[in-house]
């Protein structure tokens, strides 16, 4: 078939590869009579897939799993317990996730590297996405703002410290992806985390300002961009060295 998979001694299976060309992909509950309990790292690395639906019984999704430029919709089962790093990083057209459980059940899912993507649950929405003139943003559960996408035309971007009177604390995956007109980005004091790839393909970016309030930054944020000439950091050398950093590879 179109899948590669492992057998486990408990009679279940894990998918570690998909080789089909489906536009709408519905991952089955079973394969060769064995219940599929998980999706492995980079298992669905297909650029053609526009929608993916996972069936009940699947309990985990490996990192970098759904990398598709055309991916628009993902439906997740309430049986899900864990989502690993960078699962939806390259979903440039992905606006929200559909989750078949409740908001309480979603909050119990262990997400290794949280994203601010909107999640539509049975009983409501988590990280509801809104938009103003310049930004698509999410109102997070802790009543702070995550920047999801820059929509403005200015080459010099100054991210506001507040939107709707709420503090901006997080810069999400792909926030500046394909923003080739942007030459500088200034993040306000109050931002505490910057996700991998938020500026990685911002191909005209020369200057990036990072405030001392940032505690966590994915190094792909910087190293994935070969154009940046200068990083302005609001803290000391000691504070910079204490930042929690991670590489995608």
């Amino acid at each position: 078939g179109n899948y590669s998979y492992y057998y486990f001694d408990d009679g279940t299976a894990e998918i570690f590869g998909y080789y089909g060309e489906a536009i709408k992909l519905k991952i089955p509950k079973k394969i060769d009579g064995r219940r599929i309990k998980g999706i492995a790292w980079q298992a669905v690395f297909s650029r053609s897939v526009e929608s993916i639906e996972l069936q009940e019984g699947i309990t985990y999704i490996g990192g970098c799993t759904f990398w598709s430029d055309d991916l628009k919709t993902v439906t997740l089962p309430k049986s899900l317990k864990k989502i690993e790093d960078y699962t939806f990083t390259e979903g440039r057209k992905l606006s929200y996730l559909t989750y078949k459980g409740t908001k309480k059940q979603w909050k119990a899912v262990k997400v290794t590297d949280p994203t601010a993507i909107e999640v539509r649950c049975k009983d409501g929405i988590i990280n509801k996405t809104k938009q103003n003139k310049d930004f698509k943003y999410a109102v997070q559960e802790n009543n702070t703002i995550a920047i999801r996408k820059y929509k403005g035309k200015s080459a010099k971007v100054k991210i506001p410290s507040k939107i709707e009177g709420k503090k901006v604390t997080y810069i999400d995956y792909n926030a500046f992806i394909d923003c080739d007109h942007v030459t500088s980005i200034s993040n306000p004091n109050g931002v505490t985390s910057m996700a991998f790839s938020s500026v990685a393909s911002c191909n005209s970016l020369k200057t990036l300002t990072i405030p001392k309030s940032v505690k966590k930054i994915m190094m792909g944020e910087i190293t994935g961009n070969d154009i940046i000439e200068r990083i302005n950091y609001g803290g000391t050398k000691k504070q910079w060295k204490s930042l929690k950093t991670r590489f995608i590879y």
Side-chain angles (χ1 to χ4, degrees):
N2 293 324
Y3 297 99
S4 296
Y5 48 91
Y6 296 111
Y7 284 160
F8 294 111
D9 292 339
D10 62 2
T12 61
E14 177 190 76
I15 290 176
F16 69 86
Y18 171 71
Y19 307 103
E21 298 181 356
I23 302 299
K24 296 182 178 180
L25 178 60
K26 188 173 184 177
I27 296 177
K29 286 185 177 182
K30 292 183 178 182
I31 196 163
D32 283 352
R34 294 171 179 257
R35 178 179 66 83
I36 298 171
K37 72 175 181 179
I39 314 296
W41 177 276
Q42 292 188 347
V44 186
F45 210 98
S46 171
R47 296 296 181 185
S48 64
V49 174
E50 293 183 3
S51 70
I52 299 173
E53 181 177 355
L54 276 65
Q55 303 299 297
E56 290 297 333
I58 292 175
T59 60
Y60 63 88
I61 304 172
C64 301
T65 303
F66 301 137
W67 281 34
S68 171
D69 289 338
D70 292 325
L71 185 62
K72 298 175 182 177
T73 65
V74 175
T75 301
L76 302 173
K78 65 181 179 181
S79 57
L80 194 63
K81 303 298 182 187
K82 183 179 181 181
I83 301 175
E84 295 183 353
D85 291 347
Y86 319 118
T87 298
F88 307 108
T89 302
E90 292 299 315
R92 301 183 185 201
K93 298 178 182 179
L94 184 63
S95 296
Y96 63 89
L97 306 175
T98 299
Y99 176 62
K100 292 183 177 180
T102 64
K103 290 196 293 183
K104 183 177 180 179
Q105 288 172 316
W106 175 258
K107 290 175 185 178
V109 177
K110 182 180 180 182
V111 183
T112 305
D113 189 46
T115 173
I117 193 168
E118 181 174 299
V119 183
R120 299 183 179 181
C121 305
K122 283 175 60 177
D123 58 346
I125 296 175
I126 293 174
N127 293 336
K128 185 174 179 60
T129 299
K130 300 182 178 182
Q131 187 170 324
N132 59 21
K133 179 184 176 182
D134 291 326
F135 297 98
K136 181 184 286 186
Y137 60 93
V139 181
Q140 302 181 101
E141 288 293 287
N142 61 2
N143 211 34
T144 63
I145 298 294
I147 299 297
R148 294 206 55 210
K149 178 68 177 173
Y150 177 60
K151 307 291 285 186
K153 296 181 179 180
S154 176
K156 296 182 178 181
V157 181
K158 186 174 181 179
I159 298 174
S161 60
K162 291 185 177 181
I163 295 178
E164 295 186 10
K166 302 174 178 65
K167 288 184 178 180
V168 174
T169 60
Y170 179 57
I171 313 301
D172 203 8
Y173 293 99
N174 299 334
F176 289 90
I177 200 163
D178 298 328
C179 290
D180 290 341
H181 63 292
V182 173
T183 58
S184 70
I185 299 171
S186 177
N187 291 280
N189 201 44
V191 170
T192 58
S193 183
M194 300 170 69
F196 170 78
S197 83
S198 62
V199 303
S201 62
C202 195
N203 294 319
S204 298
L205 185 64
K206 301 294 184 183
T207 306
L208 176 65
T209 299
I210 300 174
K212 64 181 180 180
S213 58
V214 168
K215 304 301 180 185
K216 179 181 178 183
I217 184 169
M218 299 302 175
M219 290 309 291
E221 162 86 20
I222 299 168
T223 58
N225 188 310
D226 297 327
I227 307 298
I228 294 178
E229 296 176 353
R230 179 173 178 173
I231 295 173
N232 296 321
Y233 177 60
T236 64
K237 289 194 291 183
K238 183 178 180 180
Q239 287 172 317
W240 176 260
K241 291 176 182 178
S242 70
L243 281 176
K244 184 179 180 182
T245 58
R246 291 173 63 193
F247 287 86
I248 187 168
Y249 295 123

